[in-house]
Amino acid sequence: MKKFFMLAAFSLILAANFVSEASAENMFHIGGCVPFSHARTRDSNLYRINISESGVGFSFDFTHVADCGFTIAPWITAGLIRAKSDWIPSLADTYMTGFENSMGIGLGGSPIHNEKRTLTVLGKIGFRSQDCDIEKDIRTSKEIHATLITFCFSIGTEIIYTQRFTEHIGMFFSTEFYLGAGEIRYEVTDAENQTYRRKSSGGGVQSTFQPRLGLAVTL
């Protein structure tokens, strides 16, 4: 968080050198994202659970920058993830795979916004869901099947830099960090075909860092 405030302050200083004839903008940011996250919670038996995740996905947002620099940006992402967790000791070193999606809105400002470049700092709020599972042989020829589902409301920040090569086409790069709180559910079917279902006790906390890179289209 300290690094974010330092970068934001540095960006405001640069604005005096780069802003020229700032005007309203409407942009689409279309590209890829690479989320890295860590969740921790306790189950109904108060056992501590840690979940580490990484993935790759597609991101899209529509960003409107007003003349004064006020910026609003609804967004959506979807992608593939893989996760490791200590919630099942026999699977602690095995990756689960699955899908995730998120959506929300960002509000903030663009201290730099002109015909060549835009620098935007946003506060973001959104919702994220994940669903991943695993099948593995354990000690017998039978398999266990495990499913992990996460629902998370998040709040965070993002810095987006857009460089235009023509009036309408450019590239963007962004970094975002956010914290979320929600519910983690898991279900296990063991080698004897017995099913166990549990969910987090008191919710879970998830932290996520996610860089994005892609095409920027200015209308």
Side-chain angles (χ1 to χ4, degrees):
M1 188 61 70
K2 181 179 179 181
K3 291 182 180 180
F4 162 71
F5 285 118
M6 292 177 63
L7 183 58
F10 181 67
S11 300
L12 290 173
I13 294 173
L14 287 179
N17 296 320
F18 286 105
V19 174
S20 61
E21 297 183 5
S23 59
E25 299 173 357
N26 291 300
M27 290 180 290
F28 293 106
H29 292 130
I30 307 164
C33 58
V34 185
F36 302 91
S37 64
H38 179 79
R40 59 186 183 275
T41 186
R42 292 181 183 272
D43 67 11
S44 53
N45 293 327
L46 299 183
Y47 291 119
R48 183 176 294 175
I49 299 170
N50 292 283
I51 305 168
S52 297
E53 300 168 337
S54 61
V56 61
F58 168 82
S59 70
F60 172 84
D61 73 55
F62 172 74
T63 301
H64 172 73
V65 182
D67 288 328
C68 63
F70 173 75
T71 304
I72 182 170
W75 53 271
I76 185 170
T77 67
L80 305 174
I81 60 169
R82 63 177 190 170
K84 274 187 175 182
S85 175
D86 56 6
W87 57 296
I88 304 175
S90 60
L91 301 180
D93 296 324
T94 305
Y95 281 106
M96 296 175 283
T97 57
F99 303 91
E100 76 161 13
N101 60 78
S102 61
M103 63 183 66
I105 191 167
L107 298 172
S110 298
I112 300 172
H113 58 110
N114 56 49
E115 68 280 0
K116 293 183 178 180
R117 59 185 62 87
T118 302
L119 178 69
T120 299
V121 181
L122 296 173
K124 303 181 74 175
I125 186 169
F127 173 77
R128 186 183 192 193
S129 66
Q130 301 164 301
D131 187 342
C132 52
D133 57 29
I134 189 173
E135 291 185 359
K136 183 181 179 182
D137 295 333
I138 55 169
R139 298 177 186 166
T140 70
S141 60
K142 297 181 180 180
E143 291 183 332
I144 67 170
H145 179 265
T147 300
L148 176 70
I149 300 175
T150 303
F151 302 96
C152 184
F153 290 95
S154 61
I155 185 169
T157 187
E158 181 177 22
I159 299 175
I160 309 172
Y161 178 75
T162 301
Q163 179 69 48
R164 276 175 285 279
F165 307 122
T166 69
E167 181 181 358
H168 300 290
I169 302 298
M171 298 290 292
F172 81 94
F173 174 74
S174 79
T175 58
E176 57 184 313
F177 175 81
Y178 50 89
L179 294 173
E183 184 175 270
I184 298 173
R185 304 175 183 175
Y186 59 92
E187 176 181 302
V188 181
T189 301
D190 64 16
E192 303 301 325
N193 207 33
Q194 298 293 317
T195 299
Y196 306 90
R197 296 181 179 89
R198 289 183 181 175
K199 63 181 180 179
S200 57
S201 177
V205 177
Q206 185 179 78
S207 58
T208 300
F209 169 72
Q210 180 170 271
R212 296 197 297 144
L213 176 68
L215 177 68
V217 180
T218 303
L219 304 181

